[in-house]
Every structure is written in structure tokens, then in C-alpha cells.
Amino acid sequence: MYQYNQIDQTLVDERVEQFRDQTRRYLTGELPEDEFSALRLMNGLYIQRQAPMLRVAVPYGLLSSTQMRKLAHVARTYDRGYGHFTTRTNIQFNWPELAAVPDILAELAQVQMHAIQTSGNCIRNTTTDPYAGVAESELEDPRPYCEIIRQWSTLHPEFAYLPRKFKIAVTGATEDRAASQVHDIGLQMVQNADGEIGFEVLVGGGLGRTPIIGKSIRKFLPKQHLLSYLDAILRVYNLKGRRDNKYKARIKILVEALGPDEFRRLVEEEWAHIRDGELTLTDAEIARAKSFFTLPDYDANAASADAHASLSDSLATDIEFNAWYRHNTLAHRVDGYRIAIVSLKPYLEAPGDITDSQMDAVADLADRYSFGETRATHHQNLVLTDVRKGDLYAVWQALAANNLARSNIGTLTDMIVCPGFDFCSLANARTLNISDQINEHFDDMDHLYDLGEIRLNMSGCINACAHHHVADIGILGVDKKGEDWYQISLGGSSKEDARLGKILGRSVPASDVAITVEKILAVYVDQRGEDESFAQVVQRVGIKPFKERVYATAH
Amino acid sequence: MPLLIDQRIVTEDPWQLLDQAALDEGSPIPENGPVAVPLIWYRQHREALQQRNSPLGVIVNGDDDLAALYADHSQLDLIAIEFPTFRDGRGFSIARQLVRSGFNRQIRALGHVSRDRLALMQSSGFNAFAINDERFQTDHLQAFSEISVNYQGTTADPRPVFRR
Ligand code: HEM
Ligand code: SF4
């Protein structure tokens, strides 16, 4: 993975001291509240319902075991022993003390981490495919480009006060696992007729109160122009994006208002000034970035007959392991290896939460079995990308001992859920109680397996932090005269066939969410053909049959 | 109002900046000395202003149409860019485009200018900063060197890190 050089390290170290001074000036009254607010947000610090909340950047989701142990240490020393992985592959701490935040940042800087631009109206952490580098259908590993974008966007002097937050996702495989079509900019690696690899550029995707799928403004951008093109998009947005109304300030609103053609024209006009200038990437720079993401030293004996036999044996004798293998591991590009997903969706725990000892356990497993690295995913899980088949049983046992091996990946209970009212001051409704309710209601794993792949996402308000619009089943908390109600939508997707879900009808009270989901699933079971997934059935039959079942008056 | 130019505190500011409100109230243009007026006003009174034979400047903000200014600023010695609020970052891009268009005289930040954005402003192309009295402290000069490295390049050295 990428290793900091002197410049990277100096930047985070000096940034810590800068923030320490800003915090001091704020606490002594020298720095006004509204300015400190913008400054602390650019350092990932929110003030929330319970306490400040600190969001730490995990660039494109990649963590070394040293970094993971440091996060465990931070959770243990400065927080209440846990952290929360978000859909943008960052980690949040819910209980730090404001005055201790500079010290936390200093600790993070020791392991090449920071909280820079994890919040605020600036360019946020760039996200990507959690299986980058090992995914079978990949054109090219997107991570070197993510790192190039990370550097360009970090403390960019011109783009620190954008109209609104700005999120970029990059994908390199045919499957889109980074929700790139619902990002401010989505970059998809593509090959042109000459066999060159470049990017298709999408802009103006986003969810929140105005959900919109991104529009393609350039079918093919040669790699060397990556930064100059991003620069042009950001400049047009910075100058023209709305600043009078924060709900209309995202780039998606600008793209909709101008139309994608006019927006493209403005970008291309701006780009013409800079396209062959200093930002043009050199071959040397691309090669340098790639040199940090070379293949690990795979074991040539990983696919040996012995390894195979030991795996088959464990699969045959241990049905729990067998279920985990089927649901939580995936094919790897290299023979003899599997991708193993660490479920952060244990029974009746907040989705995405992880304790300090669990983080330590994952770090140990990464060191022992997966070249010392872990990835965080958009679905709020972790991944050990390179596990030898012969080691899977040991990995599973260790995960199971740490409550990290629930075999529910891709199923109904592998939900994306935001913290909701329990932690978030913007929330309209609680979410964690509802995820518990759904877990209790659907606690039969065989039933879940029979239902197959289903994405359920739940947000506590229209800011849509949990991407409820692009789920098979989306749940949105709404406030009705002080009570929590939930609006359900069906048929969304954040994958390559990205589309927004359709609202089923009037919202349901908190007590009825799981039972409503059960009715929805019953319609699916009735209607499905052989091997037909929930998403396919919703696409084929539309939402009407679901609506009829859910709102049928009781006889 | 304290003024920083090229990272030094300047006590004598020869410029008189006349904002739209002052002009609307009928403030006369002084006969001599460098004067800056809002861009719109400059466009309406260009000839009269040029006849004064003193340095001229304009005051712009994010709502102005700046294409013509980028195309011709040969008569101007100062362009002041207004930051109407702390969170309004359009001025950064305007400075950047001005430098790119070849303007190499004074680019002054006006309005919501305070310590924590000075370095960003300088990197984007500003070389002068007008700071409100109540917010100014002499340690502001340190703000320019709080972060001594950058990835993107600056006006002084526009090469991004990978070209150095
Ligand atoms: C608890 C503190 C949090 C606060 C105050 C917060 C606030 C917000 C707000 C106001 C927006 C909407 C911005 C806009 O559309 O202009 C937003 C969007 C978003 N948040 Fe959060 N959030 C919080 C936690 C989280 C968590 C825990 C996650 C991940 C699970 C998350 C992921 C996202 C994502 C992905 C979006 C973008 C949605 C879109 O595409 O428009 N946030 N957040
Ligand atoms: S969706 Fe709403 S409730 Fe949930 S974290 Fe985001 S802002 Fe808070």
C-alpha cells in the first residue's frame, strides 16, 4: 500500500499543530464559532447529540494492520472502546473530548493517518472498489489513481470552501461496488477502441433530499488528463454552484439546472486552458503510484492438493464454517486464494460498529493471513482480500471467537444503517432499534439464505447517509408529530445498473417495520421464478403487487 | 484596516477603495492617487477614470461576469476580490483565473479575510490581504508557514509535487 514520504508526513504533522492552535484559539475565544465550525469540519470534527464526533479518513478504504491497531488504541484511550465504519469507508468515533482531539490527530499522524477533509464543504475521501487489485473482472487497479487524487485534493488551496461537500469514487471492474453513479464525480475505468485505458467521467450523482444518478460528461478521458479534468470540473462548480441555499448547493443541482450538455461545455472550455499544463500526469508519476500497489508475494503452494483437501475436509465437517465460506468468501484472481469478508453486522449490534479488541483481532488476522492489510467497504464491513484457502478455517475460527463471522454477507441483515437519532443531531428517527427489530424478526439464517441477495439500507433522515434510495429495500426515518415513522421504497440499486427506488406508499409506524418487510418478501417469494433475485422481481413486476400486499386492509 | 502585502505588514496604503455604497451616496472620485472602484462602475465610467492619470483598480466578486476582465486588464494595477462570507470560496478560483490570464500586479483579498485562510489565498494567487482591525494580530504572519508543504503547486511555483 501507499507509504508516506517526507512531504506527506510533514503535511499531516503540521496540520495537527495547526489544528491544535485553532482549537486553542477557539477555546480562548479568539476564533469565532462560525469560523471554527468550518475549520473543525475540515478536520472531521462534528458536534453531535452526545459529544463531538471525529471522523477519521481511511483513504480508499485501505488499512494496514498498524493503522488498525492505532484505531483500536484511539477507541480504547479516547473513546468508549469502539468505532463505527461508514459507507464512505471512514471510521467515526462518537465520544471524544474536544480538547483531546489534537492529541488523537497526533497519534493518527504517527501511523500515516489523519481526519483531513472527512467533513466540510471540500473534497472528501476518495472511495473505490473494496476488491480493487483482486477482483476478477478488473480492467486495472483503481487505487493508484485514488492515491493520485488523494494527493491532489488534500489541502487544495482553491477548493477548500466549495459550495458543498464533494465526493469522488473510482472503479476499475465491470461490477460497480463503489456506488460511483451516486457520487459528485464517478470515475469508471474504461478501454477505448485503441485498447488504451482511461476514465469515463460521471458528474452530479448524489442522494440526500434530491436523489439523482450521475450523468456521463466524457466517455473517455486519457489517464494523463485525470487531474486537469477534475480541476476543471471543480473550478466550474466552485464558481457556479449555488451558495444561497445549502440544500441546492451540491454539484448535482448545478448539473441539473444547466443541463449536462451545457455543464460539459463549461468544463471543456475551462479544461482547454489547462489540459496540457502542469497538472498533466507524467508516466513517471503514474508508475510511481502503481509501484505502491503491486501484487503481494502470493504463495505458489496455496493451490496445492493438501490445501485443497484440508479446506474440503473442514467444509464437509463443519456446517457453520461451510455457511460462512459460501456467504462471506469470494473467488480470488489467484488460484488457491479467497477474499474473506469480515461481517460488521453481528446479531443485535449497530451495523458498522467495531470494538477495540475486534480491531486488534482483525489486525492480527491481517498480519498472519492477508499480507497485513484490511479494506473497509461501502457496505460497512471489512475485507481480508488475500487469504489462502488452506487458512480459511483458522481465519473463520478467530473471527467467530470475536463475533465477526456472522454468515450474512449479501443477505437482508447485511444492512447499511446510519447512526440515526441515537447519535446524530440531524436525525428524524431512530435507526438502530429498527435494525435490531429486523434482526430479531429474521433470525432464521436458512430463511435469509433462501431469500438470497437483498440490500436493505436505512437512513434516519433525508440526508440519506445510508443510501436508502439505492437499495432493494430502502427505509427512511420520518418524524410524524414527534413519533418515529418509516417510509419504505423498493427497487433501487447503486451498482452498474444504478437506479432510484420507488416509494411504496404511506409510512409505517416503528412497531410495524419488520412485519412490513416480511410482507414485501412474501410477495417476492410468491412471484419469483427460478433463480430470480429480489431485485429482478421488483424490476419485472413493479411495485404494485408489493403495495397491494402491504396496504391490504385486514379482513 | 491592517494590510499585508507580500507577507509584510504595510502601514501606508496608497489605494482608496470606493465601494458601491459610497459611490451611490455620491462620494467623489479623488482627483489624485490610486483608486479602485467596483467593476460595474469601472465599466460605466472607464474613460473618465482613465483620464485621471493615476493608477486604477477594480473591485470584483463572484457575481460579476469576469470574462472581459480576464481578456483585458492592461489598464489595471490592482484587482480586489471580495469574500462576502467566510464560507464563500469563489474568490479563490477568481484569483487563480486572474493569474492564469496574465495579471501580475496586486490581487487583494477583501471582506471576510482572516488568519486561517491566508495561506490558501496566497497559494491561489493573492498577494495582498486587507484584514479587519478587530481580527488582526501580528502573529498572523506565521499563518503563511503553518503548513510548509503542498501537493498542488502555488502561484510562486505552479508545479504540482510530482513535477518538482
Ligand atoms: C452522525 C453524524 C453525521 C452527520 C451529522 C451527517 C450529516 C450528513 C449530511 C447533512 C448529509 C447531506 C449532505 C448533502 O446532501 O448536501 C450527509 C450525507 C452523507 N452522509 Fe452523513 N452524516 C453523519 C454520519 C454519517 C455516517 C455514519 C455515514 C455512513 C454510514 C454517512 C454517510 C454519508 C453519505 C454517504 C452521504 C452522501 C449521501 C448523498 O449521496 O447525498 N454519514 N451526511
Ligand atoms: S441520514 Fe440523517 S440521521 Fe442518518 S447520519 Fe445522516 S444526517 Fe444523521
Side-chain angles (χ1 to χ4, degrees), chain B residues 77-131:
Chain B
D77 282 297
L78 173 143
I79 296 178
I81 302 172
E82 278 180 319
F83 286 83
T85 64
F86 185 73
R87 290 171 192 254
D88 188 336
R90 288 177 294 181
F92 294 100
S93 288
I94 296 172
R96 179 67 194 274
Q97 289 186 319
L98 261 183
V99 172
R100 188 171 77 202
S101 72
F103 188 76
N104 58 7
R105 288 162 300 260
Q106 192 179 125
I107 303 183
R108 185 181 293 196
L110 278 191
H112 222 296
V113 184
S114 53
R115 176 196 169 125
D116 296 288
R117 307 205 303 176
L118 293 177
L120 301 178
M121 287 175 174
Q122 174 170 273
S123 296
S124 302
F126 290 93
N127 49 24
F129 310 89
I131 303 170

Side-chain angles (χ1 to χ4, degrees), chain A residues 17-326:
Chain A
E17 291 318 307
Q18 183 184 50
F19 187 66
R20 195 184 291 285
D21 190 53
Q22 287 166 350
T23 307
R24 178 191 63 75
R25 284 187 281 129
Y26 168 67
L27 291 173
T28 58
E30 198 182 305
L31 191 57
E33 178 78 44
D34 65 324
E35 291 188 23
F36 183 64
S37 154
L39 296 167
R40 69 170 159 72
L41 285 172
M42 265 181 258
N43 249 318
L45 190 62
Y46 283 84
I47 303 295
Q48 281 309 307
R49 202 171 287 283
Q50 310 285 358
M53 177 198 93
L54 180 67
R55 187 181 290 154
V56 176
V58 182
Y60 36 92
L62 188 57
L63 282 162
S64 69
S65 47
T66 312
Q67 292 174 327
M68 186 69 95
R69 287 196 187 92
K70 182 60 91 177
L71 295 175
H73 168 77
V74 168
R76 195 159 41 235
T77 316
Y78 300 93
D79 205 284
R80 299 193 180 169
Y82 70 99
H84 175 81
F85 276 101
T86 76
T87 44
R88 299 206 74 262
T89 71
N90 293 319
I91 184 166
Q92 288 179 183
F93 294 104
N94 285 314
W95 311 91
E97 302 255 344
L98 176 59
V101 170
D103 293 336
I104 301 177
L105 296 177
E107 295 243 26
L108 294 170
Q110 290 167 1
V111 296
Q112 314 194 342
M113 295 188 87
H114 58 72
I116 299 170
Q117 290 167 219
T118 54
S119 179
N121 297 333
C122 48
I123 305 173
R124 305 289 190 83
N125 186 23
T126 297
T127 53
T128 192
D129 186 346
Y131 311 145
V134 294
E136 282 190 296
S137 71
E138 192 170 83
L139 266 180
E140 198 180 310
D141 188 341
R143 290 172 301 170
Y145 304 98
C146 294
E147 176 55 29
I148 287 171
I149 295 170
R150 183 192 75 80
Q151 297 195 11
W152 163 78
S153 60
T154 299
L155 302 191
H156 197 300
E158 187 183 342
F159 304 136
Y161 293 84
L162 296 170
R164 202 72 182 88
K165 58 168 76 169
F166 204 90
K167 303 177 177 181
I168 303 177
V170 191
T171 66
T174 21
E175 302 86 26
D176 184 351
R177 280 175 288 256
S180 69
Q181 298 189 52
V182 289
H183 276 72
D184 297 285
I185 294 181
L187 296 167
Q188 301 178 344
M189 301 200 83
V190 287
Q191 196 159 27
N192 70 6
D194 298 329
E196 289 167 75
I197 295 176
F199 301 95
E200 177 168 0
V201 183
L202 281 78
V203 293
L207 300 173
R209 61 188 71 207
T210 320
I212 295 176
I213 304 290
K215 309 283 184 306
S216 175
I217 59 162
R218 190 166 244 283
K219 291 287 174 210
F220 188 82
L221 178 72
K223 285 173 186 175
Q224 70 267 28
H225 296 308
L226 175 62
L227 293 186
S228 59
Y229 205 76
L230 293 180
D231 211 60
I233 296 174
L234 265 296
R235 188 160 304 116
V236 169
Y237 171 55
N238 192 34
L239 287 165
K240 302 223 183 283
R242 284 181 62 173
R243 291 176 187 268
D244 57 329
N245 178 341
K246 78 170 183 177
Y247 301 122
K248 299 203 183 307
R250 294 280 294 269
I251 194 173
K252 62 191 174 187
I253 305 288
L254 178 65
V255 174
E256 289 292 297
L258 295 172
D261 289 332
E262 174 62 6
F263 183 80
R264 173 190 306 116
R265 193 191 64 75
L266 291 173
V267 169
E268 298 273 334
E269 182 180 271
E270 174 59 30
W271 189 46
H273 290 284
I274 55 176
R275 63 170 286 169
D276 293 311
E278 304 276 6
L279 281 177
T280 311
L281 287 171
T282 57
D283 290 344
E285 174 62 1
I286 293 176
R288 186 182 81 93
K290 282 187 180 179
S291 72
F292 292 103
F293 302 94
T294 51
L295 291 181
D297 207 357
Y298 287 120
D299 175 4
N301 293 323
S304 70
D306 277 0
H308 196 77
S310 102
L311 175 63
S312 308
D313 197 39
S314 311
L315 288 172
T317 51
D318 192 324
I319 52 166
E320 284 187 47
F321 171 63
N322 191 302
W324 181 79
Y325 179 86
R326 278 182 288 122

